[in-house]
Amino acid sequence: MIKDLGWKVGGAQGEGIDSTQDIFALSLFRLGYYVSTYRHFMSLIKGGHTNGKVRITSEITGHHGDDLHILLAFDQETINHNFHELIDGGVLIYDTAIKDATVPENDKVNICPVPLTEIAKEAGSPIMKNMVSMGVTAAIIGLTPDDFRSVVVDKFGGKGDEIVDSNIAAIQKGFDFAKENFSATIELPARPELKSERLYISGNDAVSLGAIAGGCRLLAQYPITPATEVMYQIIKQFPQVGGTVVQAEDEIAAVMMSIGANYTGVRSMTATSGPGLSLMMEALGLAGISETPLVIIDVQRSGPSTGLPTKTEQSDLYTMMYGSHGEIPRIVLTPRNVEECFFFTMEAFNLAEKYQCPVIVATDLYMGMNKQTVASIDFDKFKINRGKLISDEQLAELEKGAFKRFDVTPEDGVSFRSIPGQKNGRFVAMGNEHDEVGVEMEEPELRVKQMDKRAKKLVNFNDVAGATYVGAENAELLLVDFGSMTGPQREVYEELAAEGVSVGHLSIARLLPFPTEEIKGYINNAKKVLVTEMNSTGQLKNQLKQFINGDHNKFESCLKYSGDPFLVNEIYAKAKALADSLKKEVTL
């Protein structure tokens, strides 16, 4: 088991919960700890309960943790909704400004009432109660007020020394109060040795940076939670590298702008979530038949329709794999951690141009909006590949009008692409079926040739590994997942392996082309296959059944679709029960 410390702050939306969480997490990150965060919030501008959790560990994880050691409550709702999560020996810190505060009876939790608002007023402003709470927390976990100084300076330095000093003073007052009034302590995990640079970013941050590093210079997007942060981050970064962000009037316009920009040779993408992806289905077909590169980021959330817009889910899998009309080749990548959000997005631009087809990068709210420690990114791993761009010299050798943009003769199905403005490289890109030079046609023989040409593109695809496996050879119990489920499921795998269970962990990184050959051996060798995913129908499990021949009765689902992310213990309970059932079979 990973030794960790779970800390959570809660209050009314608009009360500074996000910034309080970020100050605490960033301070611990700068001290060298690994941190993983989770934000629970409602789809309201202001009001309603919100909270933010931080997990502090000595090693990298992909989960915000099950256990809660310290709960910091700014209102009664926070106590009502979260107190039950505190472990024995945990600490509840609450603001005595909460009128008639009610704390559940529990003699195993340390109760620390603190006049957070009153102390903050003494320090200069009641809004600094979050800083007072940092001081109280520091006293309980063995830190000093000075450990928060660098973050305070970075956040408030632009407002002047007086503001910085008053915030530092608020932290000190909270620290002094806790030292004088409480004896409760919680031990931090061992501080890891800092061997290399690390980052503290979210999946959305990583997608944005990956897009820029991959050469994206136009983002056309309509705002939608939880993908809006992608646009905000790129707006911040584009001035350093050049590029344009267009806030389109809707998702249809956004994806069409992206197709248009890619047609002209500018690497472009759009980012959205489920409802927006649905609106892009016709354009997806246009990119496919016109063989125009296209990158779409889908940060999944709970559906259908508006559903739970600020909650997480993995229920767009079918839409990403099969949405749109007709048949087109497409690539669907599923990053399993924040680092892969960066690298897969970078690589998506290469793949879109190499295969001249749509590429969808599938993340979700859980990974997209929550920050965590990430190993330093090695930019040398990536090289830009523009694919089959025809040169001016090659075009000059052709007779006028002889350029075949949709040439059907290449064995890989990918023909040369020209950029508008290249002499003798003119062609028409349209949604209608066409001949080799782009002229609309309906002749059956030519139609079949164009369909067959496009279908050949991904037959031998091996640019991105389809899955990763760890575990025993011929494991009896196989754990399978994709996307953000890999983090918590890896912890389950490690716990079961430590108990001596014959277990393996297979995490899918690519949904299309489906990695059948890569994974069928692991599936067929296992006695039980547990597929963990955040939807109600087992969409990944159903794809495994479709693509993998063999005994389909061995598949079991571990599903969650409440809007809340999985706890590790929820997956462990299901996996442990399956492991025990296999043991009984052997005994009988």
Side-chain angles (χ1 to χ4, degrees):
M1 293 286 289
I2 296 174
K3 180 169 174 51
D4 59 7
L5 185 147
W7 176 96
K8 181 185 282 190
V9 58
Q13 206 143 290
E15 203 173 10
I17 302 304
D18 283 357
S19 61
T20 306
Q21 177 194 30
D22 201 46
I23 289 167
F24 181 72
L26 188 55
S27 297
L28 272 292
F29 166 78
R30 289 186 177 181
L31 290 172
Y33 292 98
Y34 290 96
V35 296
S36 300
T37 66
Y38 175 65
R39 295 159 59 190
H40 169 97
F41 61 105
M42 299 176 69
S43 51
L44 300 169
I45 301 300
K46 191 170 184 178
H49 173 65
T50 183
N51 65 64
K53 187 176 181 186
V54 181
R55 183 190 191 189
I56 303 135
T57 57
S58 301
E59 54 190 287
I60 201 161
T61 72
H63 188 252
H64 63 290
D66 290 6
D67 293 336
L68 181 61
H69 299 78
I70 298 174
L71 175 61
L72 171 59
F74 288 166
D75 64 4
Q76 182 63 47
E77 275 198 89
T78 298
I79 301 173
N80 296 344
H81 290 300
N82 302 280
F83 183 85
H84 69 280
E85 295 180 19
L86 282 166
I87 64 167
D88 291 350
V91 176
L92 168 66
I93 305 164
Y94 71 90
D95 190 352
T96 55
I98 302 172
K99 190 175 180 182
D100 301 324
T102 302
V103 179
E105 290 186 13
N106 188 323
D107 58 6
K108 297 180 180 178
V109 171
N110 298 290
I111 309 300
C112 299
V114 182
L116 296 173
T117 300
E118 287 302 313
I119 294 174
K121 287 179 181 176
E122 293 172 9
S125 170
I127 65 172
M128 290 192 297
K129 66 182 179 184
N130 58 346
M131 290 301 171
V132 179
S133 69
M134 291 298 103
V136 176
T137 300
I140 291 172
I141 63 176
L143 297 179
T144 69
D146 202 48
D147 290 324
F148 295 83
R149 178 179 292 275
S150 72
V151 175
V152 172
V153 170
D154 286 351
K155 284 192 174 291
F156 303 108
K159 297 180 180 179
D161 292 342
E162 186 177 349
I163 298 297
V164 171
D165 291 343
S166 60
N167 278 277
I168 295 293
I171 295 174
Q172 185 66 55
K173 286 179 177 291
F175 181 85
D176 293 342
F177 182 90
K179 282 291 187 184
E180 292 170 7
N181 294 279
F182 307 125
S183 59
T185 58
I186 299 285
E187 186 179 355
L188 277 166
R191 192 177 304 195
E193 183 181 351
L194 187 60
K195 296 180 179 177
S196 61
E197 294 290 324
R198 300 165 184 167
L199 303 174
Y200 171 63
I201 58 175
S202 68
N204 283 341
D205 292 340
V207 162
S208 308
L209 297 173
I212 293 170
C216 177
R217 292 299 178 265
L218 181 112
L219 170 70
Q221 183 175 343
Y222 183 74
I224 182 171
T225 302
T228 305
E229 288 180 345
V230 174
M231 184 168 66
Y232 290 162
Q233 184 62 253
I234 287 183
I235 287 172
K236 286 183 192 173
Q237 302 299 330
F238 261 177
Q240 300 178 48
V241 297
T244 299
V245 173
V246 179
Q247 180 175 322
E249 62 267 39
D250 57 34
E251 286 88 349
I252 298 173
V255 70
M256 295 299 284
M257 289 178 189
S258 183
I259 291 172
N262 278 300
Y263 170 74
T264 68
V266 175
R267 286 192 163 188
S268 173
M269 77 170 192
T270 186
T272 189
S273 190
L277 184 66
S278 298
L279 293 174
M280 297 178 182
M281 289 298 104
E282 184 174 355
L284 201 66
L286 172 62
I289 195 170
S290 66
E291 303 190 45
T292 307
L294 174 64
V295 174
I296 298 175
I297 309 296
D298 181 26
V299 190
Q300 300 171 85
R301 69 185 198 186
S302 298
S305 188
T306 311
L308 300 172
T310 59
K311 299 295 183 291
T312 196
E313 209 163 86
Q314 294 176 307
S315 53
D316 294 348
L317 185 146
Y318 290 161
T319 307
M320 290 185 285
M321 295 179 73
Y322 304 116
S324 192
H325 48 286
E327 299 165 312
I328 57 166
R330 74 182 76 180
I331 299 165
V332 181
L333 306 177
T334 59
R336 297 159 297 181
N337 53 52
V338 172
E339 285 175 277
E340 287 190 345
C341 286
F342 179 88
F343 286 112
F344 283 17
T345 304
M346 275 202 310
E347 189 61 27
F349 288 93
N350 279 352
L351 298 176
E353 293 198 325
K354 180 178 179 180
Y355 295 100
Q356 299 172 12
C357 72
V359 180
I360 300 174
V361 179
T363 68
D364 57 51
L365 182 146
Y366 181 66
M367 188 189 303
M369 295 195 75
N370 295 301
K371 293 183 178 181
Q372 61 181 253
T373 303
V374 177
S376 182
I377 292 172
D378 181 3
F379 287 89
D380 291 336
K381 289 182 179 179
F382 181 74
K383 304 294 181 188
I384 287 181
N385 177 1
R386 303 289 321 250
K388 286 186 177 179
L389 279 178
I390 196 165
S391 67
D392 292 343
E393 292 74 19
Q394 289 172 301
L395 287 170
E397 293 175 358
L398 300 176
E399 293 182 11
K400 185 177 180 181
F403 172 56
K404 294 181 178 178
R405 168 66 184 93
F406 304 106
D407 182 7
V408 297
T409 59
E411 292 188 0
D412 61 3
V414 181
S415 46
F416 275 95
R417 181 167 64 105
S418 65
I419 300 300
Q422 282 187 283
K423 189 175 181 180
N424 208 22
R426 182 170 61 92
F427 72 97
V428 177
M430 64 169 74
N432 291 79
E433 193 57 275
H434 45 258
D435 63 13
E436 290 181 297
V437 296
V439 175
E440 181 182 351
M441 64 79 191
E442 295 184 355
E443 285 76 3
E445 182 182 350
L446 296 180
R447 155 69 171 181
V448 171
K449 286 184 177 178
Q450 287 295 328
M451 286 290 286
D452 290 346
K453 160 195 156 50
R454 294 191 290 266
K456 287 190 291 186
K457 289 181 179 181
L458 302 177
V459 170
N460 297 312
F461 184 92
N462 62 2
D463 297 63
V464 176
T468 302
Y469 177 80
V470 295
E473 188 175 352
N474 299 324
E476 294 182 350
L477 174 61
L478 182 64
L479 310 179
V480 184
D481 55 60
F482 75 110
S484 64
M485 284 297 85
T486 295
Q489 185 126 288
R490 180 59 58 89
E491 292 189 35
V492 173
Y493 157 75
E494 290 174 352
E495 192 165 342
L496 290 173
E499 295 171 8
V501 174
S502 175
V503 62
H505 180 205
L506 184 68
S507 55
I508 307 293
R510 192 185 73 227
L511 294 173
L512 283 178
F514 201 77
T516 305
E517 293 303 315
E518 288 182 55
I519 67 175
K520 68 179 182 182
Y522 302 114
I523 300 286
N524 289 332
N525 289 336
K527 292 181 178 178
K528 286 289 183 184
V529 178
L530 179 62
V531 186
T532 299
E533 51 191 315
M534 290 187 291
N535 55 64
S536 69
T537 56
Q539 296 186 25
L540 177 62
K541 185 185 75 172
N542 293 336
Q543 296 312 298
L544 293 168
K545 287 182 175 180
Q546 176 175 326
F547 286 100
I548 308 291
N549 293 324
D551 177 14
H552 288 174
N553 292 322
K554 68 171 67 175
F555 287 99
E556 299 279 350
S557 276
C558 184
L559 305 175
K560 190 166 186 177
Y561 42 93
S562 64
D564 291 329
F566 265 110
L567 297 177
V568 171
N569 283 334
E570 292 171 332
I571 305 171
Y572 173 84
K574 181 80 176 181
K576 178 66 173 172
L578 284 179
D580 290 344
S581 69
L582 290 172
K583 196 183 297 181
K584 287 179 181 176
E585 288 178 13
V586 172
T587 304
L588 292 174

